[in-house]
Amino acid sequence: MYWLSTLAALIVSSLVGIDAFAVNQQSTRTASCLSMAQDAVDTKITTLTDATNWRLRLLLNGVTTTQGRKIDGQLFVLNGNFIEEEGYEPPQGLFTSLTSSNKSEDGSDEVLSLEISSSRWKLSEDPDDPKDGLWIWGLFKEPLYPFMLLQMETKELELSSAEGEEKDSIPALKLYAQINHIRDQETGNVDLKTADVNIRLLEQIQLPGATVDLYENEKVGQVSFQPL
């Protein structure tokens, strides 16, 4: 009968081992699923579509008010979306402002609210290097577009003034920025770098029988971008 008891012990041991293996496999699968879910959260893709909200921090320096006063270090915070218009090459579209904050993120510094009347963006090759169009001839699988050209037109903004002081305001501005645009070829993730903000000054030169308009960029601040 000894061999029967030994056989029974072996069977029980095998069953316990199988159950332990099944439990271990289930735990491994559960941990793997949780890890994949966390990876999906951690790898959120930022795009130039309404699927991504962006925060723009616009810092103006040296802007002249309607009363001739210089504005230095004035921060404006805008939240909005880059909306691509279909059917255009290179890609281009509108920036739609959702909110305009009058407080910094920690609530400590007050910032003015700036209203955008219109804004357009366009992906671009290097506008100063005509050789950048070589992708058209099949040298690249798709255009790289290392720049975004952004234009924003703002509405006049009335500034606070003490009683008895003459009212002052920041006039309507037409702002331009050339932004380094990086798009991951595999994931499609978009990164926009901090860039200088300029206004264009018009100078008219009178020539015999004609007038020539010349534009010169003048730096008035910086703009930075943060996906939300």
Side-chain angles (χ1 to χ4, degrees), residues 189-206:
N189 190 72
V190 171
D191 186 20
L192 300 176
K193 301 298 185 181
T194 299
D196 291 339
V197 173
N198 303 287
I199 58 174
R200 288 180 180 170
L201 303 178
L202 171 63
E203 180 182 0
Q204 291 187 329
I205 299 179
Q206 188 66 46

Side-chain angles (χ1 to χ4, degrees), residues 13-207:
S13 177
S14 298
L15 291 175
V16 171
I18 291 172
D19 289 343
F21 178 72
V23 170
N24 186 55
Q25 274 196 322
Q26 181 63 32
S27 299
T28 302
R29 284 196 297 268
T30 301
S32 178
C33 290
L34 291 174
S35 177
M36 291 174 63
Q38 184 61 44
D39 288 344
V41 172
D42 293 340
T43 57
K44 182 180 179 181
I45 303 301
T46 58
T47 63
L48 299 178
T49 69
D50 57 4
T52 302
N53 292 336
W54 292 82
R55 174 164 294 156
L56 277 62
R57 292 181 177 85
L58 179 62
L59 182 65
L60 294 183
N61 289 296
V63 174
T64 304
T65 69
T66 53
Q67 296 298 327
R69 183 164 60 93
K70 288 289 186 180
I71 297 292
D72 286 317
Q74 181 61 61
L75 176 66
F76 300 94
V77 179
L78 303 169
N79 294 337
N81 304 117
F82 292 97
I83 307 298
E84 182 178 351
E85 296 178 324
E86 296 183 1
Y88 289 95
E89 187 64 39
Q92 56 192 277
L94 308 173
F95 176 77
T96 303
S97 180
L98 300 177
T99 60
S100 181
S101 172
N102 61 359
K103 288 285 184 181
S104 62
E105 288 185 356
D106 59 6
S108 59
D109 298 322
E110 186 173 352
V111 294
L112 293 177
S113 177
L114 186 68
E115 188 173 354
I116 303 295
S117 58
S118 67
S119 180
R120 291 196 61 83
W121 60 271
K122 178 180 179 180
L123 297 188
S124 172
E125 304 149 16
D126 188 345
D128 299 321
D129 186 357
K131 297 190 300 296
D132 251 7
L134 293 177
W135 65 267
I136 296 177
W137 306 105
L139 299 183
F140 300 103
K141 291 183 179 179
E142 61 177 292
L144 299 179
Y145 296 131
F147 298 103
M148 171 191 279
L149 306 181
L150 178 64
Q151 174 182 314
M152 293 188 295
E153 297 184 25
T154 69
K155 294 185 178 181
E156 183 177 2
L157 175 63
E158 185 173 333
L159 301 173
S160 59
S161 57
E163 186 177 353
E165 289 185 350
E166 192 170 2
K167 289 185 178 181
D168 201 358
S169 63
I170 297 176
L173 300 172
K174 184 177 286 189
L175 305 172
Y176 301 87
Q178 179 175 306
I179 303 146
N180 285 338
H181 162 262
I182 302 172
R183 180 180 180 273
D184 189 283
Q185 297 294 310
E186 295 183 0
T187 65
N189 190 72
V190 171
D191 186 20
L192 300 176
K193 301 298 185 181
T194 299
D196 291 339
V197 173
N198 303 287
I199 58 174
R200 288 180 180 170
L201 303 178
L202 171 63
E203 180 182 0
Q204 291 187 329
I205 299 179
Q206 188 66 46
L207 299 177

